[in-house]
Amino acid sequence: MVRSMVAGVAGLKAHQNKMDVIGNNIANVNTWGFKGYSYNFKDGMYTNSIKSSAGSVLAGAAGGGNASQVGYGSQLSSISNVFEPGAPSPSANPMDCMIDGTGFFLVGNMVNGSFDSVGDSGLYLSRVGIFRVDENGYLVDDQRSYVYGYAVDEGTGIPETPATAASVTLNGVAVTNFTEPKPNTTDPSKTDNATITIAGLTVRLSGDIKSENQMEDAIQEWVTYVTSSKNQAPANTTAEDGKPIVPEEYSKVKIDFLQVGRTKKDPNQTGGTPTQGDAGYDWTAQLKITSTTPGEDSMNDVDAVRNLGATGGIGGTPDEKLTVQGSTWEPGISAIYSNQLSTIKIPNDPKTGMPFDLRSYSISADGTITGVDDQERAIVIGKLALISVQNPNGLEKVDGYYYRIGDNAGAVGHEQPNTSPTGSIMGSYLEMANVDLANEFSNIITTQRGFQANSKIITVTDEMLQELVNLKR
């Protein structure tokens, strides 16, 4: 009778362990990349009440007899990881990704240099692709582990250099000789609007100048006039009806008005700006001159406008930090990837020696990580590696969502995505847990009933022992 109680206790422990596994599965129903576990029972050890015996065909002998065994309940056989893929869940972050297949990401602390043996690297495997770029330009996951893959070979993966136009930003461009409205010389009943002069070109305005805002409008009106093709002509053309003829050099540049400035006039200064509005100030403008034709020689167009002899040029002081030298188009060099594993890092721009300044990222199906810089160029950063494991159930779970390569994991190798059953990469998706809630809740019911049945065995056995004790009374 005592053996039935031992079997009941063993059954209670086994069912409690199964409930622990079910509870962990349900607790992680919203954990990215989580793989559910299945609890497997086996019957416990046995004792022979009657041993088996072989039969004999000799005269007078008896036949064989089977063994009669009594068991001691159930116990744990195994807890298996169910490596079925989870459903994809869309993500707003383009650096998030998931594996559509059986492979794993390779992550962990920094390993200097490149390597080929995954099993000897001491790194972890992961199914969760929550990736970011850290302050040093390395690809990391949300647990600060470096992500490993195939780096771009030096001298390859260089983007094309687009043709650019030269530009110069000029500070302190003088705004002179702006006048107040006055009667028309030919028709005194009419009034001529105010004028403004920059770079020797005097333009009659559509209104008056009495405030800083109106001065900004006036300078913008001057820019609009001189950059209009209908007002531009060869240098030997003469002005008509008081309208200035803009030299044709202006047709090769674009002018942008950025801001206006003013300084208090010296009270002892004579001449200069006529009295009108804030007559106690000297006005300046900040202008940006850009060639309309890209290329290495485009600075010549800018300089031609700045150095016009007849009009005295635009003047002002060039801002060296905002000066852009033109460049011609140069073809890019396609990326070639290393065959060994290493960390993935934003490459350096061969022209500056500094990492590319990337604005956005994307991950393609073959694991290629691409960034886009401020010139809208695609910069290849590297390619993710997928790890194949012969026996995934030989992996050992550690903190977070990492797996350690166990002794029974079998052969472990690395492959490029989209080339084998290890799978491809789905960018802007994360893998949901593969926990089947309906199945887990049905397991809760059967486990609970099994626990109750085993507890009933203990209760009945206790009652039988109580009856045995009462026999001596």
Side-chain angles (χ1 to χ4, degrees):
M1 289 186 293
V2 175
R3 284 181 294 189
S4 64
M5 184 172 288
V6 172
V9 171
L12 288 179
K13 289 182 178 179
H15 282 81
Q16 178 59 61
N17 289 337
K18 182 174 182 179
M19 188 63 75
D20 293 339
V21 172
I22 296 172
N24 181 61
N25 288 343
I26 295 176
N28 286 283
V29 69
N30 286 319
T31 300
W32 299 121
F34 178 78
K35 302 301 179 185
Y37 289 86
S38 64
Y39 187 97
N40 305 308
F41 292 99
K42 70 176 181 180
D43 45 355
M45 65 177 182
Y46 290 86
T47 58
N48 291 331
S49 297
I50 300 176
K51 292 185 178 181
S52 62
S53 59
S56 175
V57 296
L58 297 177
N66 296 324
S68 297
Q69 297 177 299
V70 178
Y72 284 81
S74 63
Q75 58 184 342
L76 168 66
S77 172
S78 65
I79 300 176
S80 302
N81 224 177
V82 181
F83 278 97
E84 292 296 323
S89 175
S91 171
N93 194 314
M95 288 291 281
D96 290 343
C97 62
M98 65 167 283
I99 302 171
D100 185 14
T102 61
F104 295 84
F105 297 116
L106 183 63
V107 298
N109 291 335
M110 175 63 75
V111 174
N112 292 325
S114 57
F115 58 93
D116 193 58
S117 176
V118 178
D120 298 332
S121 66
L123 299 173
Y124 299 112
L125 305 185
S126 166
R127 288 281 299 187
V128 181
I130 305 177
F131 298 149
R132 304 290 184 272
V133 175
D134 70 1
E135 69 278 8
N136 296 314
Y138 286 93
L139 187 67
V140 298
D141 67 8
D142 66 339
Q143 296 198 70
R144 301 175 58 201
S145 294
Y146 293 99
V147 181
Y148 287 81
Y150 306 101
V152 179
D153 286 344
E154 187 175 356
T156 69
I158 300 175
E160 68 174 20
T161 302
T164 58
S167 67
V168 172
T169 299
L170 299 174
N171 298 321
V173 176
V175 180
T176 61
N177 300 327
F178 57 92
T179 65
E180 58 187 7
K182 59 183 180 180
N184 188 281
T185 56
T186 59
D187 186 355
S189 64
K190 297 181 180 180
T191 301
D192 292 334
N193 291 334
T195 61
I196 187 172
T197 303
I198 301 176
L201 295 172
T202 301
V203 175
R204 188 166 299 281
L205 305 172
S206 59
D208 199 358
I209 304 175
K210 291 184 178 180
S211 66
E212 185 171 344
N213 289 339
Q214 289 176 325
M215 178 59 77
E216 292 180 355
D217 295 338
I219 297 174
Q220 184 59 58
E221 196 169 339
W222 180 91
V223 169
T224 302
Y225 183 90
V226 300
T227 55
S228 175
S229 60
K230 67 180 181 179
N231 300 321
Q232 298 163 354
N236 59 358
T237 304
T238 58
E240 296 180 3
D241 299 329
K243 297 180 179 179
I245 297 299
V246 181
E248 62 179 350
E249 284 83 356
Y250 280 85
S251 65
K252 299 180 180 180
V253 299
K254 170 189 173 186
I255 300 178
D256 294 300
F257 167 55
L258 303 181
Q259 61 183 14
V260 68
R262 67 179 184 178
T263 57
K264 192 73 173 177
K265 292 178 66 68
D266 185 349
N268 299 320
Q269 181 180 346
T270 59
T273 305
T275 302
Q276 180 197 358
D278 288 332
Y281 295 98
D282 285 326
W283 296 88
T284 59
Q286 184 184 55
L287 302 177
K288 180 180 179 182
I289 307 175
T290 306
S291 172
T292 56
T293 305
E296 293 180 353
D297 299 331
S298 57
M299 186 60 77
N300 295 335
D301 299 334
V302 177
D303 290 338
V305 172
R306 290 183 55 204
N307 302 321
L308 281 174
T311 60
I314 288 184
T317 304
D319 189 331
E320 299 297 334
K321 294 182 179 180
L322 299 178
T323 298
V324 177
Q325 299 294 334
S327 61
T328 55
W329 177 83
E330 296 179 14
I333 301 176
S334 300
I336 299 176
Y337 302 97
S338 171
N339 293 323
Q340 292 191 313
L341 298 171
S342 64
T343 52
I344 300 176
K345 184 179 183 294
I346 296 176
N348 291 337
D349 186 343
K351 292 185 178 297
T352 64
M354 300 295 292
F356 286 101
D357 186 11
L358 304 180
R359 306 296 189 217
S360 62
Y361 301 90
S362 63
I363 302 177
S364 61
D366 64 353
T368 302
I369 306 170
T370 306
V372 178
D373 68 358
D374 53 359
Q375 300 182 53
E376 300 299 326
R377 298 181 301 174
I379 312 296
V380 177
I381 301 173
K383 180 176 288 191
L384 294 171
L386 291 185
I387 308 304
S388 60
V389 181
Q390 184 177 14
N391 176 26
N393 276 299
L395 301 175
E396 300 172 4
K397 232 4 191 11
V398 295
D399 291 343
Y401 44 72
Y402 292 161
Y403 295 90
R404 180 187 294 114
I405 300 174
D407 295 335
N408 195 39
V412 179
H414 60 89
E415 300 173 9
Q416 294 190 11
N418 213 21
T419 61
S420 69
T422 52
S424 59
I425 303 298
M426 295 178 63
S428 297
Y429 284 90
L430 288 173
E431 182 182 10
M432 299 176 65
N434 67 351
V435 176
D436 185 344
L437 280 178
N439 184 58
E440 296 300 328
F441 282 125
S442 64
N443 286 337
I444 288 178
I445 296 173
T446 57
T447 303
Q448 181 184 16
R449 295 309 179 198
F451 188 91
Q452 289 176 337
N454 280 275
S455 64
K456 192 64 176 179
I457 292 174
I458 297 174
T459 301
V460 173
T461 302
D462 176 59
E463 293 174 354
M464 294 174 68
L465 289 174
Q466 182 66 35
E467 290 296 326
L468 181 62
V469 171
N470 289 338
L471 286 178
K472 72 173 193 138
R473 293 180 182 178

